[in-house]
Amino acid sequence: MANTMARSFLQVAAAEEVAPPLRVVQIEGLVMLKIIKHCKEFSPALVTGQLLGLDVGSVLEVTNCFPFPIQEEDEEIEADGANYQLEMMRCLREVNVDNNTVGWYQSTMLGCFQTAELIETFLNYQENIRRCVCIIYDPSRSNQGALAFKALKLSDSFMDLYRSNNFTGEKLREKNLSWVDIFEEIPVKVSNSALISAFMTELEPDTPVTQRDYDRLQLSSSPFLERNMEFLIECMDDLSVEQQKFQFYYRSLTRQQAQQQSWLQKRRDENKARKAAGEEPLPEEDPSNPIFKPIPEPPRLESFLIANRIANYCNQINGKFFDKARDCFQKGFRKRLRDSDGPTLTYSQHPSRMTETTILFCYWNFVSSISSREREREDVLDLVSSTPMSHSVWIHATNS
Amino acid sequence: MAASDRTVLQFGPSSAVTSNITAKVHPLVIFNISDCYVRRPDQAERVIGTLLGSVLPDGTVDIRNSYVVPHNEFSDQVALDIEYHHTMLKSHLKVNPQEVIVGWFSTGLGVTGGSALIHEFYCREVPNPVHLTVGTGFRNGEGTVKAYVSVNLSLGDRQLAAQFQEIPLDLRMIEAERVGFDILKSTSVDKLPSDLEGMEVLMERLLTLINDIYKYVDDTVEGHAVPDNSVGRILSETVASLPKLSPPAFDKLVNDSLQDQLLLLYLSSITRTQLSLAEKLNTAAQMP
């Protein structure tokens, strides 16, 4: 009995551990608050910090974090930075905080975080830690009202390819890897200890709506959009530069091949002549000839990263107005507006065409239903039913 | 002669400054303290640590951050790991040089004899430290957070004791934290709320408010509720402050902005298509 058990234990111990894939990142409220505070204090400067926690099965728990000081120059502060990290970890160890690094966090400005440095940092971390994650926090989007936390990690296929330096077009085609596959976003879960949630419930302010909520309801998003568009345009410029590099490469490759062909042809003719004359044929290859030198392929990583950035900006512009508006307002508002006696015609007929303007109209409708002046209500009614908005919304719907 | 012989026990604030001190605490500090309390070593009854923050120009003490300091407490002796305290302080100052020591905290209600000793130590670090107690027992079903300042009781020239006087405490949150407050309240949340879900919640709250006001106005008109002039004035001001636009002007306004936004949407969709094209060009092109 004991023998079989011992054997099975040995077998288990000897069996290789296959790590289950990372499915969710569980962050504690404390960590979120710390990250928010740190990023907000130093915004618009970009800051980073270290994440500490535990790696349990398919969940990566992040239980604490500490910020990194901003480095002025890189030369002498390298050692200082390492010292700071060691000291912090040691001190935290003494108070029973998990001493295990699981990644790092960084703040970003409107989502332009996909850079080569990020990939380098990931690879550095991956050498020491089996699973690490990067949390990106965007303080500017939090001003808009969303809690912009994202947990990222590099996909395994990308990492293998990159490490083996096989980042050429052929290999990419083989593995069917495109720019979408570089980063993987992992869903984030928040957990809190019971003590903290008891405290928070108690400290909850009494008013249901605060000034900040009013600020969020202000739907003017033009500064946000403007900045997004600016970044998008810059990225498109970068993308076109990269594409020109590729075009140049292909052109020179074609030219080189043509040159090779003509040289080969000449050699063959020469050889025929020599054979006729009875001499040794010359070799058909000549590695010393410069036209045979292989032209280096331009690196593709940068264009992939730019593509990622552009997709991010587009999603931010699109998603803010369109994608989820349907689901959200279909449930909530249609029901309520049918209860109140306001003009429900426009939006309930096209439930899937909710845009920002209809939100505005809903608000206006509430307000006007409180107002006792009938004239105002009639005006709003006329406005809503006569505006060509529904028409333009149809155009957009058929375009997208 | 008699006047100089009389020594009076000075009670109450010894200086005008002490009476005006209020403290503001960020919820991060409470979170940190709770977390440290949960992780304390088994034999410790309470945890003690340093409070970091700044003193605002109007005298309020703004407590923004904290870290716990290991300590040992015997019957009447307290040993604090001073070196740890200084190391952590240095590290924190590297990140944020504006956050300085403003006081110290301890869990557990009430101020004990040991606390006085610790308070003295902190008095040497900073002129007027604030002592924060966080009651984690939840004895009456509520958790209490109190702040104290120490005032010296002196009899003539001799110091008798230090009295801890409670000062008003204000818990405030910066905006971004307010956004996620609902997340912070529960013990686990499966998914971070997205942009529009947040907006939906807000609209619901606004709707509740408006419904309440509606009901109140109705009740007042019908005579059920006592009319309050100030509330009525505020209501009429609010309603009157809505912008007055003629329908054609509003029409034009809305349509212009809508067209701009549709254009942007269209542009971003085109860009996305362009991206996939570019990718095909870059990777799928094959040389013969």
Side-chain angles (χ1 to χ4, degrees):
Chain A
M1 196 57 161
N3 271 344
T4 51
M5 279 185 61
R7 219 178 298 134
S8 60
F9 177 72
L10 258 175
Q11 283 171 351
V12 165
E16 276 194 17
E17 273 186 38
V18 179
L22 183 59
R23 243 184 282 279
V24 76
V25 172
Q26 189 172 304
I27 308 188
E28 291 228 349
L30 172 67
V31 174
M32 283 181 74
L33 274 186
K34 273 191 173 174
I35 296 179
I36 293 178
K37 170 179 177 291
H38 184 220
C39 296
K40 198 161 173 76
E41 261 174 15
F42 286 95
S43 121
L46 303 179
V47 291
T48 57
Q50 183 98 300
L51 294 172
L52 307 166
L54 293 166
D55 185 3
V56 182
S58 66
V59 175
L60 189 69
E61 291 186 25
V62 180
T63 51
N64 214 326
C65 68
F66 61 84
F68 283 146
I70 297 190
Q71 296 185 333
E72 307 287 322
E73 301 112 31
D74 283 351
E75 294 104 18
E76 23 177 75
I77 318 270
E78 272 301 331
D80 268 0
N83 271 346
Y84 169 83
Q85 218 171 326
L86 286 172
E87 252 179 44
M88 273 306 249
M89 303 269 281
R90 192 174 54 86
C91 291
L92 287 174
R93 175 82 190 82
E94 280 187 38
V95 283
N96 290 339
V97 173
D98 299 322
N99 206 14
N100 197 15
T101 312
V102 293
W104 82 102
Y105 68 85
Q106 63 183 65
S107 72
T108 176
M109 187 50 86
L110 271 190
C112 52
F113 52 87
Q114 291 103 336
T115 57
E117 287 101 23
L118 188 71
I119 300 196
E120 284 297 325
T121 325
F122 251 119
L123 290 173
N124 281 339
Y125 269 90
Q126 203 73 18
E127 281 171 25
N128 301 332
I129 318 168
R130 205 175 46 154
R131 271 218 286 242
C132 72
V133 75
C134 171
I135 294 194
I136 310 271
Y137 174 67
D138 194 347
S140 49
R141 272 194 63 209
S142 289
N143 286 339
Q144 301 282 322
L147 204 56
F149 264 97
K150 244 201 268 220
L152 281 187
K153 95 180 185 47
L154 284 186
S155 68
D156 294 325
S157 44
F158 172 74
M159 264 196 306
D160 295 332
L161 211 56
Y162 192 69
R163 258 200 222 124
S164 54
N165 268 334
N166 265 337
F167 216 64
T168 57
E170 317 246 330
K171 288 284 182 209
L172 289 170
R173 272 198 295 279
E174 252 176 60
K175 306 261 183 171
N176 213 6
L177 197 72
S178 79
W179 56 266
V180 224
D181 298 324
I182 297 188
F183 294 106
E184 253 177 53
E185 190 179 327
I186 310 175
V188 168
K189 206 166 90 130
V190 179
S191 82
N192 276 321
S193 73
L195 183 65
I196 290 185
S197 87
F199 263 117
M200 283 294 123
T201 327
E202 162 143 345
L203 304 172
E204 185 180 1
D206 287 324
T207 57
V209 185
T210 66
Q211 183 55 44
R212 189 65 207 173
D213 296 334
Y214 292 137
D215 290 342
R216 262 204 281 164
L217 275 178
Q218 184 196 22
L219 293 166
S220 126
S221 47
S222 31
F224 173 74
L225 270 184
E226 275 171 38
R227 289 229 302 274
N228 239 337
M229 288 307 280
E230 267 179 45
F231 288 142
L232 187 63
I233 293 175
E234 276 177 27
C235 272
M236 289 304 280
D237 283 340
D238 292 337
L239 188 68
S240 66
V241 163
E242 292 285 321
Q243 285 192 318
Q244 277 178 358
K245 275 195 216 158
F246 275 111
Q247 281 182 4
F248 183 67
Y249 166 69
Y250 281 128
R251 251 183 290 146
S252 46
L253 199 63
T254 333
R255 206 177 19 184
Q256 193 194 45
Q257 284 202 343
Q259 282 179 334
Q260 286 175 359
Q261 285 296 342
S262 64
W263 186 89
L264 202 58
Q265 197 60 35
K266 267 198 300 200
R267 252 304 151 82
R268 291 221 179 99
D269 292 340
E270 225 179 284
N271 277 343
K272 262 193 247 165
R274 283 163 90 107
K275 224 188 336 186
E279 288 171 18
E280 276 291 313
L282 293 169
E284 293 205 340
E285 273 184 20
D286 189 0
S288 61
N289 201 330
I291 58 175
F292 279 107
K293 199 162 59 156
I295 307 179
E297 198 178 319
R300 296 181 185 280
L301 182 63
E302 192 55 36
S303 57
F304 275 14
L305 290 175
I306 294 180
N308 262 318
R309 264 179 251 155
I310 294 182
N312 202 12
Y313 291 135
C314 290
N315 283 339
Q316 279 181 334
I317 297 182
N318 257 348
K320 193 163 160 47
F321 303 125
F322 203 60
D323 292 323
K324 292 185 194 130
R326 261 177 291 161
D327 315 315
C328 185
F329 285 92
Q330 243 180 337
K331 299 186 273 173
F333 270 89
R334 226 169 8 131
K335 167 180 171 305
R336 285 200 188 91
L337 288 171
R338 245 190 249 116
D339 297 343
S340 84
D341 51 352
T344 59
L345 288 173
T346 322
Y347 18 80
S348 59
Q349 275 177 4
H350 319 296
S352 57
R353 315 289 186 235
M354 286 288 183
T355 66
E356 190 197 58
T357 330
T358 44
I359 303 169
L360 194 63
F361 274 124
C362 300
Y363 179 52
W364 189 250
N365 182 43
F366 282 130
V367 161
S368 63
S369 62
I370 300 176
S371 152
S372 52
R373 275 174 280 181
E374 275 305 301
R375 244 322 306 281
E376 219 162 59
R377 284 186 65 179
E378 275 174 345
D379 286 347
V380 173
L381 258 168
D382 288 347
L383 205 55
V384 163
S385 47
S386 69
T387 185
M389 173 189 83
S390 22
H391 178 61
S392 48
V393 170
W394 273 113
I395 294 181
H396 173 70
T398 49
N399 266 347
S400 64
Chain B
M1 213 46 204
S4 59
D5 273 341
R6 241 180 337 147
T7 48
V8 181
L9 186 65
Q10 303 276 358
F11 243 135
S14 51
S15 67
V17 180
T18 338
S19 61
N20 287 344
I21 286 188
T22 50
K24 282 194 180 161
V25 176
H26 284 240
L28 173 63
V29 176
I30 311 269
F31 263 71
N32 215 354
I33 297 177
S34 312
D35 185 61
C36 298
Y37 180 74
V38 170
R39 287 175 188 275
R40 71 189 187 287
D42 286 331
Q43 66 273 24
E45 280 281 323
R46 59 178 187 160
V47 287
I48 291 183
T50 315
L51 292 172
L52 300 172
S54 61
V55 180
L56 300 175
D58 63 350
T60 46
V61 178
D62 189 22
I63 304 177
R64 287 207 289 264
N65 206 348
S66 64
Y67 59 84
V68 76
V69 177
H71 78 288
N72 283 318
E73 222 168 319
F74 308 110
S75 50
D76 56 350
Q77 288 180 9
V78 178
L80 199 65
D81 194 344
I82 300 187
E83 197 187 312
Y84 180 94
H85 160 70
H86 279 135
T87 320
M88 281 294 257
L89 180 66
K90 238 178 7 151
S91 303
H92 277 263
L93 280 178
K94 264 195 222 161
V95 178
N96 202 345
Q98 285 102 19
E99 280 182 6
V100 291
I101 306 184
V102 292
W104 63 290
F105 69 84
S106 84
T107 57
L109 289 171
V111 180
T112 65
S115 308
L117 290 171
I118 304 178
H119 197 84
E120 224 176 296
F121 163 69
Y122 276 98
C123 281
R124 273 178 257 139
E125 305 262 337
V126 89
N128 206 357
V130 170
H131 173 44
L132 193 74
T133 53
V134 177
T136 50
F138 280 90
R139 237 170 280 144
N140 302 332
E142 25 175 276
T144 43
V145 180
K146 290 197 207 276
Y148 301 93
V149 175
S150 136
V151 167
N152 286 326
L153 290 176
S154 56
L155 194 59
D157 287 331
R158 275 184 333 169
Q159 268 225 317
L160 271 186
Q163 181 200 38
F164 279 95
Q165 279 195 337
E166 193 176 336
I167 59 177
L169 189 60
D170 178 22
L171 280 146
R172 66 169 182 162
M173 249 183 275
I174 62 176
E175 304 81 10
E177 295 168 358
R178 184 76 180 86
V179 164
F181 183 67
D182 297 325
I183 304 179
L184 299 173
K185 235 187 342 162
S186 62
T187 32
S188 101
V189 171
D190 277 332
K191 192 173 93 65
L192 291 180
S194 78
D195 211 354
L196 283 157
E197 281 166 22
M199 197 184 286
E200 184 185 16
V201 167
L202 274 184
M203 293 296 249
E204 280 180 27
R205 283 198 206 138
L206 191 61
L207 183 58
T208 340
L209 260 190
I210 294 181
N211 277 339
D212 284 342
I213 296 180
Y214 212 27
K215 221 166 34 127
Y216 172 75
V217 169
D218 274 346
D219 285 343
T220 319
V221 162
E222 289 175 23
H224 296 313
V226 174
D228 188 353
N229 278 338
S230 53
V231 172
R233 248 178 258 134
I234 294 177
L235 276 179
S236 66
E237 266 177 36
T238 320
V239 173
S241 70
L242 292 166
K244 282 265 196 330
L245 291 172
S246 66
F250 190 70
D251 201 353
K252 187 166 176 331
L253 194 70
V254 167
N255 277 335
D256 284 347
S257 75
L258 182 69
Q259 300 214 348
D260 288 340
Q261 280 153 13
L262 285 178
L263 178 69
L264 282 182
L265 274 177
Y266 195 58
L267 266 181
S268 65
S269 317
I270 290 182
T271 318
R272 276 208 282 223
T273 337
Q274 162 69 17
L275 264 192
S276 49
L277 270 183
E279 181 210 334
K280 286 284 182 296
L281 279 176
N282 282 341
T283 56
Q286 302 205 20
M287 297 309 300

